[in-house]
Amino acid sequence: MATAKKSTSKPKKKTLKLELDRYSGNVGPDVVDVQALYKNHGVFTYDPGFMSTASCQSAITYIDGDKGELMYRGYPIEQLAQQSSYLECCYLLLFGELPTTDQLIEFEDTIRNHTLVHEQLMTFYHGFRRDAHPMAILCGVVGALSSFYHDSLDVNDPEHRQLSGYRIIAKMPTLVAMAYKYSIGQAFVYPDNGLTYSGNFLKMMFAVPAEPYEVNPVVEKAMDRIFILHADHEQNASTSTVRLAGSSGANPFACIAAGVASLWGPAHGGANEAVLDMLAEIGSVENIPDYIEKVKDKLNPTRLMGFGHRVYKNFDPRATIMRETCHEVLSELGVNDPMLDIAMELERIALEDDYFVSRKLYPNVDFYSGIILRAIGIPTNMFTCIFALSRTVGWISHWIEMLGEEQQKIGRPRQLYTGAKHRDFVPLSERKKK
Ligand code: SDX
């Protein structure tokens, strides 16, 4: 089978000395302004994976990777996880300030008014195989929302942007729960607007029409905290995907569907599912040393899932909160999950091993979240859908921030070209058999 030809030429190295403007934000690293670099000097910056590139200005979330700090609009995640609610954090991320009591009540009522989805949307679910991955379903149905809400697709209208944001934040729990019910062959459960955002989600996930359903307050609080911890995270891969899609003027539902697709990757939001699969593969505490050796073997692509982070070179503060919540929830539910024992021992061994310490690889948000979700009764293949549900407010907040900017440009990166130089077409009859 023909394989794509890899470029063989090695980029040639020279040195360029330049004076460029440097800007400071309110906190965090300065930036060097390279916007006019190509126009003035005929060169591009080169930064695969954007290791040192600031793609935009933003006032929503700040991460200090060395200190292991995360703030939504300046408020530390530890305080929000302890004292706030997911919907209050949604208000904070969207509008920049904590709401007053009246503002919060009005916002919660608004979100409640949009929890239902069009009855026709249910037909989309029945087009999928029952064993379709829930993220495949979510990619499809979120994008399909564009076909139902023609009254809020003008991305240049601030009211349309806000209404679309309310709609997608309100409907994600309904869509995610429907993906779960469809996968297990149970009837869809309609939203119950008498419950909290997280309580309503749990009911849509676990209630059955034949019996009453009581929301467990311990599970409700844990679910809400998991939603808070995953709500936003600066310019991560899926948020950058939403921004790039939005920069072309694509409608909000299409942009969020792009974010869902990017989040699915195991290097990103798919890691929580991959962590549970890894813990299951390890199987017991005794097998951990062999697994660690496999991870450290350069010839082996296996990675320690739930470990490492592009920005955090210290503990991911969300992992610390998640670990504490894990113990709380499992003890309050009386769950004794051997996976937690394996995870704790795996973390202990890894944090004493120079391979991980020297590379500053610490547990990230995904390392413990799956164990709590499992304890709540959510199946592994639904974990990334939970992440997408929570991150929707982050995606929408960044999309709204970007579209609210004075100067807007379509995102269009350039490249370092290492392919074939100009050559003339060769007719088929004259091509030599390779
Ligand atoms: C999320 O960006 C965000 O903010 C994401 C997120 C969010 O909220 O949006 O925080 C959510 O995606 C968390 C990350 C979830 N992913 C995983 O847990 C998957 C496992 N981790 C990795 O694959 C990795 O750590 C990344 C993708 C998270 C970060 O990769 P980087 O920054 O590109 O680092 P790298 O791949 O260049 O690795 C640097 C070195 C390499 O070794 P050397 O070549 O230097 O010898 O560290 C090694 C890597 O091999 N390494 C790992 C490792 N992660 C990095 N080795 C073993 N196990 C790992 N998990």
Side-chain angles (χ1 to χ4, degrees):
M1 187 185 82
T3 52
K5 188 174 176 217
K6 276 197 167 29
S7 57
T8 47
S9 60
K10 270 237 164 294
K12 297 158 197 66
K13 192 175 170 182
K14 289 177 235 157
T15 307
L16 175 66
K17 285 193 172 41
L18 283 176
E19 271 219 350
L20 294 168
D21 293 339
R22 176 175 176 155
Y23 297 110
S24 302
N26 294 344
V27 65
D30 288 357
V31 297
V32 171
D33 187 348
V34 293
Q35 297 179 81
L37 193 63
Y38 181 57
K39 191 171 85 198
N40 298 342
H41 303 281
V43 294
F44 300 140
T45 61
Y46 181 61
D47 187 16
F50 309 122
M51 305 289 281
S52 306
T53 294
S55 61
C56 62
Q57 283 188 33
S58 180
I60 299 174
T61 291
Y62 177 70
I63 305 168
D64 185 317
D66 296 326
K67 294 185 194 152
E69 282 175 3
L70 165 59
M71 299 189 293
Y72 294 163
R73 300 285 190 180
Y75 294 99
I77 192 66
E78 292 81 0
Q79 295 179 26
L80 294 170
Q82 281 301 328
Q83 303 174 56
S84 187
S85 70
Y86 177 68
L87 277 191
E88 186 174 64
C89 287
C90 287
Y91 186 99
L92 174 65
L93 289 166
L94 284 167
F95 301 111
E97 297 296 337
L98 288 169
T100 61
T101 305
D102 292 347
Q103 286 169 332
L104 183 57
I105 290 169
E106 185 189 357
F107 181 69
E108 289 174 340
D109 287 345
T110 303
I111 295 298
R112 244 180 236 116
N113 284 339
H114 292 287
T115 50
L116 281 167
V117 294
H118 195 291
E119 287 289 304
Q120 282 295 105
L121 202 72
M122 299 189 183
T123 321
F124 282 79
Y125 284 77
H126 291 287
F128 291 98
R129 287 173 42 147
R130 289 284 179 180
D131 62 353
H133 194 289
M135 281 296 279
I137 297 176
L138 200 60
C139 286
V141 293
V142 170
L145 285 177
S146 326
S147 64
F148 290 91
Y149 298 109
H150 301 286
D151 63 340
S152 68
L153 296 182
D154 177 358
V155 297
N156 298 310
D157 179 336
E159 287 183 12
H160 280 209
R161 296 200 292 263
Q162 192 167 80
L163 177 54
S164 298
Y166 290 157
R167 279 175 163 154
I168 191 71
I169 290 167
K171 297 178 194 307
M172 276 304 257
T174 311
L175 297 174
V176 167
M178 287 169 72
Y180 173 58
K181 286 302 198 186
Y182 184 73
S183 73
I184 57 173
Q186 284 188 3
F188 296 141
V189 175
Y190 282 98
D192 177 347
N193 287 346
L195 297 171
T196 65
Y197 187 88
S198 297
N200 175 41
F201 174 64
L202 290 168
K203 182 173 182 183
M204 292 190 288
M205 283 285 289
F206 299 119
V208 288
E211 287 159 24
Y213 178 82
E214 274 299 303
V215 176
N216 176 325
V218 171
V219 174
E220 182 180 25
K221 182 164 156 274
M223 193 77 258
D224 206 67
R225 184 174 295 177
I226 286 175
F227 288 158
I228 291 173
L229 293 175
H230 288 83
D232 192 48
H233 214 238
E234 193 208 80
Q235 307 308 324
N236 58 86
S238 54
T239 300
S240 300
T241 301
V242 171
R243 279 180 173 262
L244 197 56
S247 73
S248 75
N251 76 70
F253 305 106
C255 294
I256 299 301
V260 173
S262 170
L263 186 76
W264 193 2
H268 188 17
N272 51 18
E273 178 175 355
V275 167
L276 260 291
D277 295 342
M278 172 185 73
L279 295 174
E281 183 188 339
I282 293 171
S284 74
V285 168
E286 294 68 41
N287 297 337
I288 292 175
D290 287 349
Y291 195 86
I292 293 269
E293 285 317 304
K294 197 165 89 171
V295 167
K296 289 160 63 174
D297 174 1
K298 290 308 285 175
L299 301 177
N300 192 317
T302 305
R303 289 205 160 182
L304 198 58
M305 300 314 278
F307 257 70
H309 198 278
R310 171 63 56 75
V311 177
Y312 290 122
K313 301 309 170 193
N314 195 324
F315 260 84
D316 178 337
R318 302 167 298 176
T320 309
I321 300 166
M322 207 65 91
R323 188 197 307 116
E324 287 153 17
T325 307
C326 216
H327 286 296
E328 277 168 35
V329 172
L330 267 65
S331 64
E332 282 167 346
L333 294 178
V335 170
N336 178 16
D337 186 350
M339 294 285 193
L340 178 58
D341 302 333
I342 298 173
M344 297 288 289
E345 182 61 4
L346 184 58
E347 179 191 48
R348 186 190 67 76
I349 294 175
L351 294 181
E352 289 172 357
D353 186 306
D354 184 57
Y355 173 91
F356 299 94
V357 175
S358 63
R359 291 169 176 80
K360 297 187 176 181
L361 302 176
Y362 292 90
N364 59 49
V365 66
D366 294 304
F367 191 65
Y368 285 101
S369 55
I371 296 169
I372 304 176
L373 293 172
R374 220 165 91 103
I376 288 176
I378 293 173
T380 308
N381 69 353
M382 285 294 297
F383 289 178
T384 311
C385 286
I386 303 290
F387 197 150
L389 186 169
S390 165
R391 185 54 58 87
T392 295
V393 66
W395 291 331
I396 274 290
S397 300
H398 283 273
W399 177 75
I400 289 173
E401 181 179 66
M402 176 183 72
L403 291 173
E405 273 155 11
E406 287 292 302
Q407 183 214 45
Q408 282 180 39
K409 285 190 168 310
I410 187 167
R412 204 278 185 217
R414 302 301 301 275
Q415 62 182 9
L416 176 67
Y417 179 69
T418 55
K421 291 181 181 170
H422 178 280
R423 52 185 174 167
D424 294 325
F425 185 78
V426 178
L428 187 57
S429 56
E430 295 170 25
R431 287 174 216 158
K432 294 187 208 60
K433 243 201 150 342
K434 290 222 169 51

